[in-house]
Amino acid sequence: MSDRAPAGQFLDAAIGLLERLRDEEADGIAAAGTLLADTVADGGRLFAFGAGHSSLAAQDLVYRAGGLALMNLLVVPGVVGVDVMPAPLGSALERVDGLASAVLDSSPLREGDALLIISLSGRNALPVEMAMTARALGVKVIGVTSVAYASETKSRHASGTYLKDHCDLVLDSKIAVGDAELTHDDIPAPFAPASTVVTSALLQAVMATTATTLADRGIEPPLLRSGNVDGGHDWNTRVMEQYRDRIFYRY
């Protein structure tokens, strides 16, 4: 470990990853933003899914000040964040075959919609099956994952494939296998995960691209404002009423 304080080391590592996304994923971000803008313009709905800590980045897109009102959270009971008890049950559910298909069968997803699937490893049955099933339904799928896992770990899906293999577009978060940026001679395990901050920033870059792409086409992007600024509540009420047939978190 260097002489620099660990906080500085971690922030430097996170900044380095963000710079890599800016420089190496620019084309993918532009393509993802265009795909979502196309979906909005064509009357489709937007959904995001993540399991465990990957759900944090998905949740950050939903009902978000400055975000797209049309982004809905696709909920899989027991795997949204770490609120399930015991917490390891959520990890176990990610490996259950058939769960994704059952969830999609009872969800509002339909042909013409777009689904963001966030999975750091992309190796578990749930994200792989979700991508496969969603595409079979005619849903456009954007996978947000660390591509490194596909070459350094074994898939847990029966097909031997990963999330990245079943997407219309893939965004690589660049997170190293294990998701820990720091080491210390006196600490036996690596520590300081960066996937949440990096993946959230990556997705917000996509949302910014979506909004500006719509605006460039003469379409007002359906954005939400903070409810803590004057007029924000009235603004959001108007937007959610205008797009009520494409918003599922309000009811």
Side-chain angles (χ1 to χ4, degrees), residues 137-215:
L137 293 172
V139 173
K140 295 292 186 182
V141 174
I142 299 173
V144 184
T145 187
S146 170
V147 172
Y149 276 82
S151 60
E152 299 182 38
T153 67
K154 183 179 179 180
S155 170
R156 290 176 174 151
H157 188 261
S159 66
T161 59
Y162 298 78
L163 169 61
K164 73 175 186 64
D165 299 317
H166 304 284
C167 300
D168 296 279
L169 286 171
V170 175
L171 296 175
D172 183 4
S173 65
K174 314 295 182 184
I175 299 294
V177 173
D179 191 17
E181 294 300 321
L182 302 184
T183 59
H184 189 287
D185 291 343
D186 297 323
I187 299 177
F191 57 101
S195 61
T196 301
V197 63
V198 170
T199 303
S200 291
L202 174 58
L203 289 169
Q204 291 300 344
V206 172
M207 296 302 110
T209 304
T210 303
T212 54
T213 300
L214 287 168

Side-chain angles (χ1 to χ4, degrees), residues 111-135:
E111 184 176 0
D113 292 344
L115 172 62
L116 286 155
I117 301 178
I118 301 108
S119 174
L120 179 61
S121 73
R123 68 188 295 223
N124 289 310
L126 182 56
V128 174
E129 181 186 332
M130 184 169 289
M132 294 172 68
T133 307
R135 290 186 82 194

Side-chain angles (χ1 to χ4, degrees), residues 2 4 15 52 80-81 92 95 104 110 119 178-179 222 231-232:
S2 73
R4 185 157 190 183
I15 291 168
V80 180
R95 305 180 190 185
L104 291 179
R110 67 187 185 195
S119 174
D179 191 17

Side-chain angles (χ1 to χ4, degrees), residues 25 39 62 91 106 121-122 124 132 140 156 241 245 248:
E25 293 297 303
T39 303
V62 179
S91 298
S106 59
S121 73
N124 289 310
M132 294 172 68
K140 295 292 186 182
R156 290 176 174 151
E241 183 62 28
D245 60 328
F248 300 94

